[in-house]
Amino acid sequence: MPPTNNPQLAAPAKDTPTFSPSNVKVIYVLGGPGAGKGTQCANLVRDYGFEHLSAGDLLREEQDRPDSEFGNMIKEYIRDGKIVPMEVTVQLLENAVQSKLQDGKGMFLIDGFPRKMDQAIKFEESVCPSKFTLFFDCPEDEMLKRLINRGKTSGRADDNEESIKKRFRTFIETSMPVVDYFEKQGKVVRVMATKGPDEIYEHVKKRMTEHGFEPKFIPLT
């Protein structure tokens, strides 16, 4: 397996972030596997006009791209429940943000990122400082139950119990320190994710309003 410090992965150092937070609004979305991040992101995209970027989806797309130089490496990392080298993930996200800007502006939910401290620091320094982290807090037994059910239909190679438990360990060991880091800066919005999706979303909307975000679109009922 390629080492994480492979020099081929290094991006040029930058003195300032690529995007200004006055033009590009970034919210990180974190929570353990099965916490319901994707469902709530879809709600926020629908009602607030965010662009939804999933770090995991971008990595899976890259591993399947025929001419990708990183495809096999990404596949091995995902299969083993490990975190893909930071340089690859950050560059894929920067490219995705750039491709979706309109007149140099945009609002982005980055789902499942940053999963590790080096990702957080690299993205904040070189791509764009975030507004805050939306953290979905859910007990491990509830997440396991949800993922086992999802695995029956998802077709995802990592939706099996062995891979799920590896992902839980990885999240606790590497992603929770990121949540703690931003929480000390007052940049974490914590939402309990044990209820049904609709009830959770009502809580999310209240917290979004508290942080200056209002719905742009009223869904038809």
Side-chain angles (χ1 to χ4, degrees):
M1 183 177 297
T4 57
N5 62 352
N6 188 329
Q8 294 178 5
L9 305 181
K14 288 184 280 190
D15 293 332
T16 58
T18 301
F19 308 110
S20 165
S22 60
N23 293 328
V24 177
K25 295 178 172 60
V26 170
I27 297 174
Y28 302 138
V29 183
L30 284 176
K37 300 181 297 295
T39 299
Q40 299 305 325
C41 283
N43 290 335
L44 290 166
V45 168
R46 179 193 65 210
D47 296 346
Y48 291 77
F50 282 97
E51 292 283 353
H52 176 221
L53 301 178
S54 165
D57 287 350
L58 289 171
L59 288 166
R60 280 185 284 272
E61 288 169 11
E62 184 68 15
Q63 78 173 3
D64 293 333
R65 192 165 61 84
D67 56 345
S68 170
E69 63 179 303
F70 303 125
N72 288 334
M73 178 191 68
I74 292 170
K75 197 171 294 185
E76 289 181 6
Y77 273 83
I78 290 177
R79 185 191 62 213
D80 292 342
K82 295 182 179 178
I83 293 176
V84 172
M86 165 268 291
E87 294 88 348
V88 174
T89 306
V90 170
Q91 189 61 57
L92 290 175
L93 284 167
E94 181 174 343
N95 294 347
V97 169
Q98 185 68 63
S99 71
K100 293 179 181 295
L101 289 180
Q102 296 183 1
D103 298 323
K105 297 184 178 181
M107 299 197 310
F108 297 88
L109 299 172
I110 305 188
D111 181 357
F113 181 91
R115 293 185 61 203
K116 201 174 179 184
M117 279 303 306
D118 62 352
Q119 291 182 348
I121 293 168
K122 179 73 171 178
F123 191 94
E124 295 274 313
E125 291 180 349
S126 68
V127 182
C128 186
S130 63
K131 294 296 183 186
F132 58 84
T133 296
L134 185 58
F135 175 55
F136 291 97
D137 199 352
C138 190
E140 192 171 306
D141 57 348
E142 175 64 23
M143 292 189 289
L144 179 61
K145 182 173 69 176
R146 293 176 184 178
L147 289 171
I148 293 295
N149 286 334
R150 187 178 77 179
K152 295 173 183 176
T153 56
S154 71
R156 278 179 50 169
D158 57 351
D159 274 349
N160 62 79
E161 189 161 351
E162 183 181 355
S163 288
I164 290 167
K165 289 182 176 179
K166 285 182 182 177
R167 289 157 64 199
F168 284 156
R169 286 196 298 273
T170 298
F171 181 79
I172 293 298
E173 292 168 4
T174 63
S175 299
M176 281 309 299
V178 175
V179 176
D180 295 339
Y181 171 76
F182 284 120
E183 200 150 40
K184 288 174 184 173
Q185 299 177 24
K187 291 178 60 176
V188 169
V189 174
R190 187 181 288 258
V191 175
M192 285 305 299
T194 52
K195 305 288 187 181
D198 292 343
E199 192 171 345
I200 293 169
Y201 187 48
E202 288 303 313
H203 190 191
V204 170
K205 287 191 290 186
K206 289 177 184 175
R207 301 307 304 276
M208 295 295 287
T209 298
E210 290 170 6
H211 286 78
F213 289 88
E214 296 292 344
K216 293 185 176 181
F217 310 107
I218 306 300
L220 297 175
T221 56

